Amino acid sequence: MSNNVFFGRSLTVIEDLSIDERRYFFNKVAQLKKAIAEGDEKTLDSFRINDPDFGIYEVFLEDSTRTKESFRNAAKFHHAKVSELMCSSSSINKGESYADTFNMLSGYSNRIFIVRSKVEGLCRYLDEESRAYTERNHLPVKPAFINAGDGKHEHPTQELLDEFTFLEDNGMDFSSLHVALVGDLYHGRTVHSKADGLKVFDKVKVDLIAPPELAMPDSYVEKMNENGFEVRSFSSIEDYLDSGDIATMWYFTRPQLERMGERILQKQDELRKSITFRREFMGRLKEGTRFYHPLPRHKEHPTIPTFLDNTPLNGWERQAINGMYCRIVLLGLIAGRIGDDYSGPVRGVDRTITDEEYIVQVDLSKKKAPAKVKNYSEGVHPIDNGIVIDHICRGDRPGQIRSHMRLISSVLGIDDGRGGEWISRGSDGQYKGIIFRPGEYRLERKDLKRLAALAPDCTLNIIKDGEVKEKYRTHMPPRIYNFDDLCCTNEACVSHPSQGEGVPSMFIRTADGHYACAYCGRFHSYKEIWTHRS
Ligand code: NCD
Protein backbone atom coordinates (compact mmCIF):
# COMPACT_ATOMS: atom_id res chain seq x y z
CA MET A 1 0.00 0.00 0.00
CA SER A 2 2.97 2.30 0.59
CA ASN A 3 3.18 3.35 -3.06
CA ASN A 4 -0.56 3.47 -3.62
CA VAL A 5 -1.27 7.01 -4.80
CA PHE A 6 -5.03 6.60 -4.39
CA PHE A 7 -4.90 5.75 -0.70
CA GLY A 8 -6.85 8.22 1.45
CA ARG A 9 -7.53 10.60 -1.45
CA SER A 10 -10.69 12.70 -1.57
CA LEU A 11 -12.80 13.15 -4.69
CA THR A 12 -14.35 16.61 -4.38
CA VAL A 13 -14.35 17.49 -8.09
CA ILE A 14 -13.54 15.32 -11.09
CA GLU A 15 -10.20 17.11 -11.55
CA ASP A 16 -9.02 15.60 -8.25
CA LEU A 17 -8.01 12.64 -10.41
CA SER A 18 -5.53 13.02 -13.26
CA ILE A 19 -6.54 11.92 -16.76
CA ASP A 20 -4.36 8.81 -16.47
CA GLU A 21 -5.74 7.99 -13.06
CA ARG A 22 -9.27 8.15 -14.51
CA ARG A 23 -8.31 5.93 -17.44
CA TYR A 24 -6.79 3.45 -15.01
CA PHE A 25 -10.04 3.62 -13.00
CA PHE A 26 -12.19 2.80 -16.06
CA ASN A 27 -10.08 -0.22 -16.89
CA LYS A 28 -10.42 -1.45 -13.31
CA VAL A 29 -14.22 -1.07 -13.52
CA ALA A 30 -14.26 -3.12 -16.73
CA GLN A 31 -12.22 -5.83 -14.96
CA LEU A 32 -14.58 -5.88 -11.98
CA LYS A 33 -17.69 -5.97 -14.14
CA LYS A 34 -16.31 -8.93 -16.09
CA ALA A 35 -15.45 -10.77 -12.87
CA ILE A 36 -18.96 -10.19 -11.54
CA ALA A 37 -20.50 -11.46 -14.79
CA GLU A 38 -18.31 -14.56 -14.71
CA GLY A 39 -18.64 -15.17 -10.96
CA ASP A 40 -14.85 -15.01 -10.74
CA GLU A 41 -14.56 -14.97 -6.93
CA LYS A 42 -10.77 -14.84 -6.88
CA THR A 43 -10.69 -11.59 -8.85
CA LEU A 44 -13.58 -10.18 -6.83
CA ASP A 45 -11.71 -10.88 -3.62
CA SER A 46 -8.73 -8.94 -4.94
CA PHE A 47 -10.97 -5.86 -5.08
CA ARG A 48 -12.52 -6.34 -1.62
CA ILE A 49 -11.56 -4.20 1.38
CA ASN A 50 -12.78 -7.09 3.56
CA ASP A 51 -12.56 -5.23 6.84
CA PRO A 52 -15.68 -5.00 9.02
CA ASP A 53 -14.11 -2.08 10.92
CA PHE A 54 -13.48 0.04 7.84
CA GLY A 55 -16.02 2.85 8.38
CA ILE A 56 -17.87 4.35 5.41
CA TYR A 57 -20.31 7.06 6.37
CA GLU A 58 -23.11 8.38 4.18
CA VAL A 59 -24.29 11.92 4.84
CA PHE A 60 -27.07 12.91 2.43
CA LEU A 61 -28.45 16.36 3.10
CA GLU A 62 -30.35 16.30 -0.21
CA ASP A 63 -32.55 13.48 -1.53
CA SER A 64 -31.01 10.57 -3.39
CA THR A 65 -31.84 7.03 -4.43
CA ARG A 66 -29.21 5.79 -6.86
CA THR A 67 -26.12 7.52 -5.52
CA LYS A 68 -26.85 6.67 -1.90
CA GLU A 69 -28.01 3.10 -2.46
CA SER A 70 -25.28 2.21 -4.95
CA PHE A 71 -22.64 3.43 -2.48
CA ARG A 72 -24.31 1.50 0.35
CA ASN A 73 -24.38 -1.68 -1.72
CA ALA A 74 -20.81 -1.07 -2.88
CA ALA A 75 -19.77 -0.78 0.80
CA LYS A 76 -21.53 -4.09 1.48
CA PHE A 77 -19.63 -5.72 -1.37
CA HIS A 78 -16.48 -4.66 0.47
CA HIS A 79 -17.69 -6.20 3.77
CA ALA A 80 -17.02 -2.80 5.29
CA LYS A 81 -18.96 -0.99 8.02
CA VAL A 82 -21.50 1.37 6.53
CA SER A 83 -23.36 4.01 8.52
CA GLU A 84 -25.73 6.78 7.65
CA LEU A 85 -26.24 10.08 9.39
CA MET A 86 -29.91 10.77 10.03
CA CYS A 87 -29.73 14.32 8.78
CA SER A 88 -33.27 15.32 9.66
CA SER A 89 -32.57 14.60 13.33
CA SER A 90 -28.90 15.62 13.56
CA SER A 91 -27.37 18.59 15.37
CA ILE A 92 -26.92 20.37 12.03
CA ASN A 93 -30.52 21.40 12.71
CA LYS A 94 -29.44 22.89 16.05
CA GLY A 95 -27.07 25.19 14.21
CA GLU A 96 -23.95 23.03 14.41
CA SER A 97 -21.39 23.76 11.69
CA TYR A 98 -20.53 21.16 9.07
CA ALA A 99 -16.90 21.20 10.20
CA ASP A 100 -17.85 20.32 13.80
CA THR A 101 -20.29 17.62 12.68
CA PHE A 102 -17.88 15.87 10.35
CA ASN A 103 -14.86 16.22 12.59
CA MET A 104 -16.74 14.50 15.35
CA LEU A 105 -17.76 11.66 13.04
CA SER A 106 -14.15 11.18 11.91
CA GLY A 107 -13.23 10.78 15.56
CA TYR A 108 -15.39 7.63 15.54
CA SER A 109 -12.89 5.95 13.20
CA ASN A 110 -14.70 6.57 9.95
CA ARG A 111 -12.46 6.48 6.93
CA ILE A 112 -14.59 7.64 4.02
CA PHE A 113 -17.42 10.17 4.02
CA ILE A 114 -19.87 10.30 1.15
CA VAL A 115 -21.52 13.70 1.19
CA ARG A 116 -24.42 15.20 -0.74
CA SER A 117 -25.49 18.73 0.03
CA LYS A 118 -26.81 21.86 -1.58
CA VAL A 119 -23.76 23.70 -0.21
CA GLU A 120 -21.26 24.03 -3.06
CA GLY A 121 -17.63 23.25 -2.30
CA LEU A 122 -18.51 21.62 1.03
CA CYS A 123 -16.34 18.51 0.50
CA ARG A 124 -13.35 20.56 -0.53
CA TYR A 125 -13.64 22.56 2.69
CA LEU A 126 -14.23 19.49 4.89
CA ASP A 127 -11.20 17.82 3.36
CA GLU A 128 -9.04 20.80 4.42
CA GLU A 129 -10.63 21.07 7.86
CA SER A 130 -10.22 17.40 8.65
CA ARG A 131 -6.47 17.59 8.08
CA ALA A 132 -6.04 19.92 11.06
CA TYR A 133 -8.55 17.95 13.17
CA THR A 134 -6.72 14.68 12.49
CA GLU A 135 -3.41 16.20 13.55
CA ARG A 136 -4.82 17.87 16.68
CA ASN A 137 -6.34 14.62 17.86
CA HIS A 138 -3.52 12.31 16.76
CA LEU A 139 -5.89 10.19 14.68
CA PRO A 140 -4.10 7.45 12.75
CA VAL A 141 -5.56 8.45 9.34
CA LYS A 142 -7.28 11.47 7.89
CA PRO A 143 -10.66 10.53 6.43
CA ALA A 144 -11.38 10.97 2.72
CA PHE A 145 -14.39 12.83 1.34
CA ILE A 146 -16.38 11.88 -1.72
CA ASN A 147 -18.64 14.52 -3.21
CA ALA A 148 -21.96 12.86 -4.03
CA GLY A 149 -23.34 16.08 -5.54
CA ASP A 150 -23.00 19.63 -4.19
CA GLY A 151 -25.76 21.99 -5.29
CA LYS A 152 -25.36 23.01 -8.92
CA HIS A 153 -21.63 22.49 -8.79
CA GLU A 154 -20.30 18.96 -9.45
CA HIS A 155 -21.10 15.28 -9.17
CA PRO A 156 -17.78 13.55 -9.81
CA THR A 157 -18.84 9.94 -9.16
CA GLN A 158 -21.77 10.33 -11.56
CA GLU A 159 -19.23 11.66 -14.05
CA LEU A 160 -17.12 8.52 -13.66
CA LEU A 161 -20.06 6.20 -14.23
CA ASP A 162 -21.36 8.25 -17.18
CA GLU A 163 -18.00 8.12 -18.89
CA PHE A 164 -17.54 4.44 -18.12
CA THR A 165 -20.86 3.79 -19.89
CA PHE A 166 -19.85 5.91 -22.91
CA LEU A 167 -16.60 3.93 -23.04
CA GLU A 168 -18.40 0.60 -22.89
CA ASP A 169 -20.39 1.72 -25.90
CA ASN A 170 -17.39 2.83 -27.95
CA GLY A 171 -15.15 -0.14 -27.21
CA MET A 172 -13.07 1.62 -24.48
CA ASP A 173 -11.74 4.06 -27.08
CA PHE A 174 -10.32 7.25 -25.52
CA SER A 175 -9.44 8.88 -28.84
CA SER A 176 -12.65 10.84 -29.42
CA LEU A 177 -16.20 11.46 -28.24
CA HIS A 178 -19.19 13.28 -29.72
CA VAL A 179 -21.99 13.75 -27.21
CA ALA A 180 -25.20 15.81 -27.04
CA LEU A 181 -26.13 17.17 -23.60
CA VAL A 182 -29.88 17.78 -23.48
CA GLY A 183 -32.05 19.32 -20.78
CA ASP A 184 -31.50 21.46 -17.73
CA LEU A 185 -27.89 22.38 -18.35
CA TYR A 186 -28.14 25.36 -16.01
CA HIS A 187 -28.91 23.53 -12.77
CA GLY A 188 -27.57 20.06 -13.60
CA ARG A 189 -24.34 19.30 -11.75
CA THR A 190 -23.87 16.08 -13.73
CA VAL A 191 -23.43 18.09 -16.93
CA HIS A 192 -21.24 20.66 -15.19
CA SER A 193 -18.80 17.92 -14.22
CA LYS A 194 -18.49 17.08 -17.92
CA ALA A 195 -16.62 20.34 -18.59
CA ASP A 196 -13.53 18.75 -17.00
CA GLY A 197 -14.62 15.12 -17.02
CA LEU A 198 -14.64 14.65 -20.79
CA LYS A 199 -10.95 15.58 -20.93
CA VAL A 200 -10.24 11.84 -20.69
CA PHE A 201 -11.07 11.74 -24.40
CA ASP A 202 -8.42 13.15 -26.74
CA LYS A 203 -10.89 14.90 -29.06
CA VAL A 204 -14.25 16.08 -27.79
CA LYS A 205 -17.28 17.53 -29.52
CA VAL A 206 -20.15 18.64 -27.29
CA ASP A 207 -23.58 19.78 -28.48
CA LEU A 208 -25.53 21.70 -25.84
CA ILE A 209 -29.30 21.51 -26.26
CA ALA A 210 -31.32 23.72 -23.92
CA PRO A 211 -33.57 26.78 -24.13
CA PRO A 212 -31.83 30.00 -22.97
CA GLU A 213 -33.42 29.80 -19.49
CA LEU A 214 -31.77 26.41 -18.92
CA ALA A 215 -28.55 27.02 -20.88
CA MET A 216 -25.15 25.89 -19.64
CA PRO A 217 -23.60 28.67 -17.49
CA ASP A 218 -20.92 30.64 -19.36
CA SER A 219 -18.13 29.59 -17.03
CA TYR A 220 -18.62 25.90 -17.94
CA VAL A 221 -18.79 26.72 -21.67
CA GLU A 222 -15.59 28.72 -21.24
CA LYS A 223 -13.97 25.80 -19.47
CA MET A 224 -15.00 23.45 -22.28
CA ASN A 225 -13.48 25.82 -24.84
CA GLU A 226 -10.31 26.14 -22.77
CA ASN A 227 -10.12 22.34 -22.61
CA GLY A 228 -10.13 22.29 -26.42
CA PHE A 229 -13.65 20.88 -26.89
CA GLU A 230 -15.66 21.82 -29.96
CA VAL A 231 -18.88 23.27 -28.49
CA ARG A 232 -22.13 24.02 -30.33
CA SER A 233 -25.42 25.24 -28.86
CA PHE A 234 -29.04 24.61 -29.89
CA SER A 235 -32.21 25.81 -28.18
CA SER A 236 -34.32 22.68 -28.74
CA ILE A 237 -34.13 19.06 -29.87
CA GLU A 238 -35.96 20.09 -33.02
CA ASP A 239 -33.33 22.71 -33.90
CA TYR A 240 -30.64 20.14 -33.24
CA LEU A 241 -32.18 17.54 -35.54
CA ASP A 242 -32.53 20.20 -38.25
CA SER A 243 -28.80 20.95 -38.04
CA GLY A 244 -28.00 17.68 -39.85
CA ASP A 245 -24.83 16.94 -37.86
CA ILE A 246 -26.00 15.02 -34.80
CA ALA A 247 -24.32 12.79 -32.22
CA THR A 248 -25.10 9.13 -31.57
CA MET A 249 -24.69 9.63 -27.81
CA TRP A 250 -27.43 11.74 -26.19
CA TYR A 251 -27.20 12.53 -22.48
CA PHE A 252 -30.54 13.75 -21.13
CA THR A 253 -31.17 15.47 -17.82
CA ARG A 254 -34.28 16.36 -15.85
CA PRO A 255 -35.51 19.94 -15.42
CA GLN A 256 -34.53 20.53 -11.77
CA LEU A 257 -37.74 22.25 -10.70
CA GLU A 258 -36.69 22.24 -7.06
CA ARG A 259 -33.87 24.66 -7.88
CA MET A 260 -35.84 27.01 -10.14
CA GLY A 261 -37.30 30.39 -9.33
CA GLU A 262 -40.97 31.30 -9.76
CA ARG A 263 -40.35 33.15 -13.03
CA ILE A 264 -38.92 30.11 -14.79
CA LEU A 265 -41.44 27.73 -13.23
CA GLN A 266 -44.24 29.63 -14.92
CA LYS A 267 -42.76 28.66 -18.27
CA GLN A 268 -42.06 25.04 -17.36
CA ASP A 269 -44.34 23.43 -19.97
CA GLU A 270 -42.79 25.37 -22.79
CA LEU A 271 -39.25 24.70 -21.53
CA ARG A 272 -39.93 21.01 -21.07
CA LYS A 273 -41.21 20.69 -24.60
CA SER A 274 -37.94 21.85 -26.14
CA ILE A 275 -35.91 19.20 -24.27
CA THR A 276 -38.29 16.22 -24.33
CA PHE A 277 -37.87 13.52 -26.94
CA ARG A 278 -41.03 12.89 -29.03
CA ARG A 279 -42.23 9.93 -31.07
CA GLU A 280 -42.14 11.99 -34.28
CA PHE A 281 -38.32 12.38 -33.92
CA MET A 282 -37.73 8.61 -34.09
CA GLY A 283 -36.84 8.32 -37.77
CA ARG A 284 -34.40 11.21 -37.58
CA LEU A 285 -31.81 9.61 -35.30
CA LYS A 286 -28.56 8.16 -36.54
CA GLU A 287 -27.95 4.43 -36.69
CA GLY A 288 -26.57 3.14 -33.37
CA THR A 289 -27.85 6.06 -31.29
CA ARG A 290 -28.02 5.61 -27.54
CA PHE A 291 -29.64 7.69 -24.83
CA TYR A 292 -28.30 8.18 -21.32
CA HIS A 293 -29.71 9.88 -18.23
CA PRO A 294 -28.33 10.25 -14.69
CA LEU A 295 -31.92 9.63 -13.48
CA PRO A 296 -34.40 10.09 -11.89
CA ARG A 297 -36.93 10.70 -14.67
CA HIS A 298 -40.09 12.56 -13.74
CA LYS A 299 -43.02 10.10 -13.72
CA GLU A 300 -45.40 12.45 -15.54
CA HIS A 301 -42.97 14.43 -17.66
CA PRO A 302 -39.91 12.28 -18.44
CA THR A 303 -37.49 13.90 -20.94
CA ILE A 304 -36.89 10.34 -22.20
CA PRO A 305 -40.44 8.95 -22.58
CA THR A 306 -41.12 5.44 -21.30
CA PHE A 307 -42.10 4.08 -24.73
CA LEU A 308 -38.34 4.05 -25.43
CA ASP A 309 -37.50 1.74 -22.51
CA ASN A 310 -37.67 -1.40 -24.55
CA THR A 311 -35.65 -0.15 -27.52
CA PRO A 312 -31.93 -0.24 -28.36
CA LEU A 313 -31.81 3.48 -27.44
CA ASN A 314 -31.90 2.51 -23.79
CA GLY A 315 -28.43 3.10 -22.35
CA TRP A 316 -29.64 4.69 -19.10
CA GLU A 317 -30.54 1.50 -17.25
CA ARG A 318 -27.11 -0.06 -17.75
CA GLN A 319 -25.62 3.34 -16.86
CA ALA A 320 -27.38 3.27 -13.46
CA ILE A 321 -26.27 -0.33 -12.85
CA ASN A 322 -22.68 0.68 -13.69
CA GLY A 323 -22.97 3.19 -10.84
CA MET A 324 -22.45 0.47 -8.28
CA TYR A 325 -19.44 -1.06 -10.08
CA CYS A 326 -17.79 2.35 -10.34
CA ARG A 327 -18.38 3.04 -6.67
CA ILE A 328 -16.98 -0.35 -5.64
CA VAL A 329 -13.78 0.46 -7.50
CA LEU A 330 -13.58 4.00 -6.08
CA LEU A 331 -13.94 2.77 -2.48
CA GLY A 332 -11.35 0.04 -3.14
CA LEU A 333 -8.88 2.62 -4.47
CA ILE A 334 -9.34 5.07 -1.60
CA ALA A 335 -8.98 2.21 0.90
CA GLY A 336 -5.72 1.30 -0.84
CA ARG A 337 -6.98 -2.23 -1.60
CA ILE A 338 -6.36 -1.78 -5.32
CA GLY A 339 -4.24 0.71 -7.25
CA ASP A 340 -0.71 -0.42 -6.24
CA ASP A 341 0.22 -1.09 -9.85
CA TYR A 342 -0.63 2.43 -11.06
CA SER A 343 2.48 4.42 -11.96
CA GLY A 344 1.28 7.40 -14.04
CA PRO A 345 0.83 11.06 -13.17
CA VAL A 346 -1.10 11.87 -10.01
CA ARG A 347 -4.14 14.21 -10.14
CA GLY A 348 -4.99 16.51 -13.03
CA VAL A 349 -4.61 19.91 -11.45
CA ASP A 350 -1.55 21.07 -9.66
CA ARG A 351 -3.03 22.93 -6.71
CA THR A 352 0.35 24.06 -5.45
CA ILE A 353 0.69 27.68 -6.42
CA THR A 354 4.06 28.86 -7.65
CA ASP A 355 5.62 31.70 -5.77
CA GLU A 356 5.53 34.02 -8.76
CA GLU A 357 6.27 37.70 -8.17
CA TYR A 358 3.26 39.85 -8.90
CA ILE A 359 4.48 43.05 -7.26
CA VAL A 360 7.60 44.27 -9.00
CA GLN A 361 9.61 47.18 -7.73
CA VAL A 362 10.84 49.34 -10.58
CA ASP A 363 14.53 50.14 -10.36
CA LEU A 364 14.62 53.95 -10.45
CA SER A 365 18.40 54.19 -10.11
CA LYS A 366 18.87 53.46 -13.84
CA LYS A 367 17.01 56.62 -14.80
CA LYS A 368 19.25 59.55 -15.68
CA ALA A 369 17.25 62.21 -13.90
CA PRO A 370 14.94 61.56 -10.96
CA ALA A 371 11.39 61.01 -12.14
CA LYS A 372 9.51 64.22 -11.57
CA VAL A 373 6.02 64.17 -10.22
CA LYS A 374 4.83 66.71 -12.68
CA ASN A 375 4.57 63.79 -15.15
CA TYR A 376 1.18 63.17 -13.54
CA SER A 377 -0.31 66.21 -15.17
CA GLU A 378 -3.72 66.50 -16.85
CA GLY A 379 -4.90 69.40 -14.71
CA VAL A 380 -4.00 67.93 -11.35
CA HIS A 381 -1.53 69.93 -9.33
CA PRO A 382 1.62 67.81 -8.85
CA ILE A 383 1.94 66.52 -5.32
CA ASP A 384 5.09 66.80 -3.24
CA ASN A 385 4.45 63.99 -0.81
CA GLY A 386 1.97 61.16 -1.16
CA ILE A 387 0.98 58.34 -3.47
CA VAL A 388 -0.20 58.13 -7.06
CA ILE A 389 -1.77 54.94 -8.40
CA ASP A 390 -1.73 55.04 -12.18
CA HIS A 391 -2.93 52.94 -15.14
CA ILE A 392 -6.08 51.75 -13.35
CA CYS A 393 -8.49 49.69 -15.50
CA ARG A 394 -6.80 50.71 -18.73
CA GLY A 395 -9.20 50.18 -21.62
CA ASP A 396 -12.44 50.22 -19.58
CA ARG A 397 -15.18 52.82 -19.99
CA PRO A 398 -14.82 56.00 -17.86
CA GLY A 399 -17.90 55.16 -15.75
CA GLN A 400 -16.53 51.68 -14.96
CA ILE A 401 -13.11 53.10 -14.11
CA ARG A 402 -14.65 55.68 -11.77
CA SER A 403 -16.64 53.15 -9.84
CA HIS A 404 -13.67 50.80 -9.59
CA MET A 405 -11.50 53.62 -8.27
CA ARG A 406 -14.09 54.15 -5.52
CA LEU A 407 -13.79 50.46 -4.65
CA ILE A 408 -9.96 50.59 -4.60
CA SER A 409 -10.05 53.62 -2.39
CA SER A 410 -12.42 52.08 0.13
CA VAL A 411 -10.75 48.64 0.21
CA LEU A 412 -7.29 50.22 0.62
CA GLY A 413 -8.66 52.47 3.34
CA ILE A 414 -7.51 55.67 1.64
CA ASP A 415 -10.96 57.22 1.47
CA ASP A 416 -10.50 59.83 4.12
CA GLY A 417 -7.45 61.73 2.91
CA ARG A 418 -7.16 64.68 0.58
CA GLY A 419 -6.67 64.16 -3.16
CA GLY A 420 -8.76 62.87 -5.98
CA GLU A 421 -9.41 60.51 -8.85
CA TRP A 422 -8.76 61.34 -12.46
CA ILE A 423 -9.48 59.73 -15.79
CA SER A 424 -7.15 60.36 -18.69
CA ARG A 425 -6.99 59.17 -22.25
CA GLY A 426 -3.76 57.95 -23.79
CA SER A 427 -2.59 58.51 -27.35
CA ASP A 428 -4.00 55.04 -28.18
CA GLY A 429 -7.47 56.37 -27.31
CA GLN A 430 -7.78 54.16 -24.22
CA TYR A 431 -8.99 55.50 -20.91
CA LYS A 432 -7.24 54.82 -17.60
CA GLY A 433 -7.72 55.92 -14.00
CA ILE A 434 -5.34 57.69 -11.63
CA ILE A 435 -5.72 58.09 -7.87
CA PHE A 436 -3.82 60.92 -6.16
CA ARG A 437 -3.40 61.08 -2.41
CA PRO A 438 -1.15 63.80 -1.00
CA GLY A 439 0.00 63.17 2.55
CA GLU A 440 1.76 60.53 4.64
CA TYR A 441 0.99 56.97 3.49
CA ARG A 442 2.84 53.95 4.74
CA LEU A 443 1.90 50.97 2.62
CA GLU A 444 2.92 47.61 4.06
CA ARG A 445 3.53 44.47 1.99
CA LYS A 446 -0.04 43.35 2.72
CA ASP A 447 -1.38 46.65 1.30
CA LEU A 448 0.62 46.11 -1.87
CA LYS A 449 -0.82 42.60 -2.16
CA ARG A 450 -4.27 44.07 -1.73
CA LEU A 451 -3.52 46.65 -4.40
CA ALA A 452 -2.33 43.96 -6.85
CA ALA A 453 -5.56 42.03 -6.28
CA LEU A 454 -7.65 45.18 -6.77
CA ALA A 455 -5.73 46.81 -9.56
CA PRO A 456 -3.54 44.39 -11.50
CA ASP A 457 -1.30 46.05 -14.07
CA CYS A 458 -1.25 49.42 -12.36
CA THR A 459 1.72 51.37 -11.00
CA LEU A 460 2.09 52.71 -7.51
CA ASN A 461 4.32 55.74 -7.09
CA ILE A 462 5.49 56.81 -3.67
CA ILE A 463 6.43 60.44 -3.78
CA LYS A 464 8.65 62.31 -1.36
CA ASP A 465 9.82 65.90 -1.69
CA GLY A 466 8.53 66.18 -5.23
CA GLU A 467 10.27 63.05 -6.49
CA VAL A 468 9.15 59.50 -7.17
CA LYS A 469 11.13 57.63 -4.51
CA GLU A 470 9.64 54.18 -5.03
CA LYS A 471 7.64 52.71 -7.87
CA TYR A 472 5.89 49.34 -8.08
CA ARG A 473 4.13 47.52 -10.91
CA THR A 474 1.39 45.07 -10.02
CA HIS A 475 0.28 41.93 -11.87
CA MET A 476 -2.58 39.51 -11.33
CA PRO A 477 -1.78 37.43 -8.23
CA PRO A 478 -1.97 33.65 -8.78
CA ARG A 479 -4.15 33.39 -5.70
CA ILE A 480 -6.15 35.94 -3.70
CA TYR A 481 -6.85 35.03 -0.06
CA ASN A 482 -6.24 36.09 3.49
CA PHE A 483 -8.16 39.38 3.25
CA ASP A 484 -11.24 39.86 5.44
CA ASP A 485 -13.18 41.68 2.77
CA LEU A 486 -13.19 38.96 0.09
CA CYS A 487 -16.44 37.24 -0.76
CA CYS A 488 -17.57 34.70 -3.37
CA THR A 489 -20.71 35.92 -5.19
CA ASN A 490 -22.33 32.48 -5.05
CA GLU A 491 -24.73 32.35 -2.11
CA ALA A 492 -24.74 28.56 -2.25
CA CYS A 493 -20.94 28.42 -1.79
CA VAL A 494 -19.63 27.11 1.53
CA SER A 495 -17.45 30.23 1.80
CA HIS A 496 -20.36 32.67 1.40
CA PRO A 497 -21.06 34.52 4.67
CA SER A 498 -24.77 33.61 4.48
CA GLN A 499 -23.78 29.94 5.01
CA GLY A 500 -22.41 30.90 8.43
CA GLU A 501 -19.59 28.33 8.26
CA GLY A 502 -16.84 30.91 8.72
CA VAL A 503 -14.87 29.67 5.71
CA PRO A 504 -12.34 32.28 4.51
CA SER A 505 -12.68 33.06 0.80
CA MET A 506 -9.98 32.09 -1.61
CA PHE A 507 -9.71 32.65 -5.36
CA ILE A 508 -7.40 31.04 -7.88
CA ARG A 509 -6.43 32.70 -11.16
CA THR A 510 -7.64 30.81 -14.24
CA ALA A 511 -5.87 30.49 -17.57
CA ASP A 512 -8.05 33.22 -19.09
CA GLY A 513 -7.53 35.76 -16.29
CA HIS A 514 -10.60 35.09 -14.15
CA TYR A 515 -10.60 34.22 -10.46
CA ALA A 516 -12.27 30.90 -9.64
CA CYS A 517 -13.55 30.41 -6.11
CA ALA A 518 -11.38 27.69 -4.54
CA TYR A 519 -14.54 25.99 -3.18
CA CYS A 520 -17.44 26.30 -5.61
CA GLY A 521 -15.37 27.10 -8.72
CA ARG A 522 -17.46 30.12 -9.74
CA PHE A 523 -15.57 32.47 -12.06
CA HIS A 524 -15.22 36.12 -11.10
CA SER A 525 -13.39 39.12 -12.45
CA TYR A 526 -10.94 40.64 -9.95
CA LYS A 527 -13.49 43.43 -9.43
CA GLU A 528 -16.24 41.09 -8.23
CA ILE A 529 -14.59 39.34 -5.30
CA TRP A 530 -14.88 42.09 -2.66
CA THR A 531 -17.56 42.61 -0.03
CA HIS A 532 -17.52 46.32 -0.93
CA ARG A 533 -19.07 46.34 -4.39
CA SER A 534 -18.08 48.94 -6.95
C1 NCD B 1 -28.63 13.61 -10.35
C2 NCD B 1 -28.22 14.49 -9.20
O1 NCD B 1 -28.68 14.33 -8.08
O2 NCD B 1 -27.39 15.35 -9.45
N1 NCD B 1 -29.07 12.34 -9.97
C3 NCD B 1 -28.18 11.37 -9.66
O3 NCD B 1 -27.27 11.54 -8.87
N2 NCD B 1 -28.31 10.20 -10.28
C4 NCD B 1 -29.50 14.31 -11.32
C5 NCD B 1 -30.87 14.75 -10.89
O4 NCD B 1 -31.19 14.83 -9.71
O5 NCD B 1 -31.62 15.09 -11.79
Side-chain angles (χ1 to χ4, degrees), residues 216-511:
M216 182 73 93
D218 288 345
S219 56
Y220 292 106
V221 179
E222 247 170 66
K223 210 186 248 186
M224 288 183 171
N225 286 323
E226 245 172 50
N227 288 338
F229 301 179
E230 183 186 341
V231 185
R232 303 184 301 163
S233 298
F234 304 86
S235 58
S236 67
I237 294 180
E238 230 162 341
D239 280 357
Y240 184 50
L241 290 170
D242 287 344
S243 77
D245 175 15
I246 57 174
T248 52
M249 291 185 169
W250 292 48
Y251 185 93
F252 285 81
T253 62
R254 158 186 83 88
Q256 302 204 1
L257 303 177
E258 74 275 22
R259 299 189 202 279
M260 291 183 194
E262 213 24 66
R263 197 182 53 82
I264 310 187
L265 277 178
Q266 280 167 6
K267 294 176 76 179
Q268 54 177 296
D269 291 341
E270 192 189 315
L271 298 177
R272 212 181 264 126
K273 190 163 176 234
S274 54
I275 52 173
T276 299
F277 195 79
R278 298 201 292 273
R279 207 178 279 274
E280 71 211 59
F281 298 148
M282 281 300 274
R284 303 179 66 186
L285 295 172
K286 274 173 122 171
E287 180 74 29
T289 297
R290 238 192 266 281
F291 287 176
Y292 307 92
H293 196 307
L295 304 176
R297 289 189 284 190
H298 193 278
K299 60 185 172 190
E300 285 164 45
H301 307 289
T303 49
I304 301 180
T306 49
F307 74 84
L308 294 175
D309 288 3
N310 214 9
T311 70
L313 288 175
N314 187 340
W316 60 91
E317 288 176 349
R318 183 169 35 88
Q319 181 190 355
I321 296 167
N322 283 340
M324 190 183 71
Y325 304 138
C326 288
R327 285 162 178 140
I328 289 175
V329 170
L330 183 64
L331 295 175
L333 286 168
I334 297 175
R337 178 70 180 112
I338 48 174
D340 273 354
D341 55 336
Y342 175 78
S343 58
V346 179
R347 98 174 350 177
V349 190
D350 185 3
R351 286 197 202 275
T352 55
I353 308 285
T354 49
D355 225 3
E356 77 183 51
E357 201 39 272
Y358 55 91
I359 303 164
V360 182
Q361 182 157 18
V362 179
D363 183 1
L364 297 171
S365 65
K366 295 210 178 81
K367 298 218 168 170
K368 286 187 199 86
K372 285 289 182 205
V373 183
K374 64 172 176 287
N375 292 345
Y376 305 101
S377 58
E378 282 245 9
V380 176
H381 192 275
I383 55 180
D384 282 335
N385 288 290
I387 54 172
V388 176
I389 306 168
D390 196 358
H391 303 284
I392 297 167
C393 300
R394 177 183 281 281
D396 284 356
R397 290 198 317 275
Q400 293 173 317
I401 301 176
R402 259 191 199 97
S403 70
H404 193 62
M405 286 199 288
R406 273 198 296 278
L407 178 80
I408 295 175
S409 177
S410 78
V411 174
L412 281 186
I414 55 171
D415 255 348
D416 286 336
R418 289 182 295 134
E421 280 78 41
W422 188 258
I423 292 188
S424 77
R425 194 173 196 180
S427 50
D428 55 0
Q430 294 206 324
Y431 292 102
K432 65 168 185 172
I434 312 174
I435 298 176
F436 299 83
R437 288 290 182 276
E440 268 297 307
Y441 285 91
R442 201 167 322 205
L443 297 182
E444 311 283 340
R445 172 88 187 155
K446 183 150 180 172
D447 298 311
L448 294 184
K449 285 185 164 184
R450 206 181 266 273
L451 177 67
L454 276 162
D457 301 317
C458 77
T459 56
L460 166 71
N461 300 272
I462 299 177
I463 298 152
K464 288 196 183 110
D465 303 326
E467 279 178 18
V468 178
K469 281 275 158 40
E470 285 170 52
K471 188 179 185 113
Y472 297 90
R473 277 208 181 91
T474 62
H475 302 287
M476 293 186 90
R479 184 162 58 157
I480 303 180
Y481 64 110
N482 219 1
F483 298 128
D484 293 342
D485 39 13
L486 291 173
C487 177
C488 176
T489 56
N490 178 8
E491 285 187 14
C493 175
V494 68
S495 73
H496 193 276
S498 65
Q499 296 293 339
E501 294 288 320
V503 181
S505 305
M506 187 192 285
F507 298 92
I508 311 222
R509 193 182 61 207
T510 65

Side-chain angles (χ1 to χ4, degrees), residues 63 66-67 116 155 158 189-190 254 256 258 294-296:
D63 298 342
R66 268 150 290 269
T67 307
R116 170 171 287 191
H155 194 346
Q158 180 73 43
R189 52 198 172 200
T190 70
R254 158 186 83 88
Q256 302 204 1
E258 74 275 22
L295 304 176

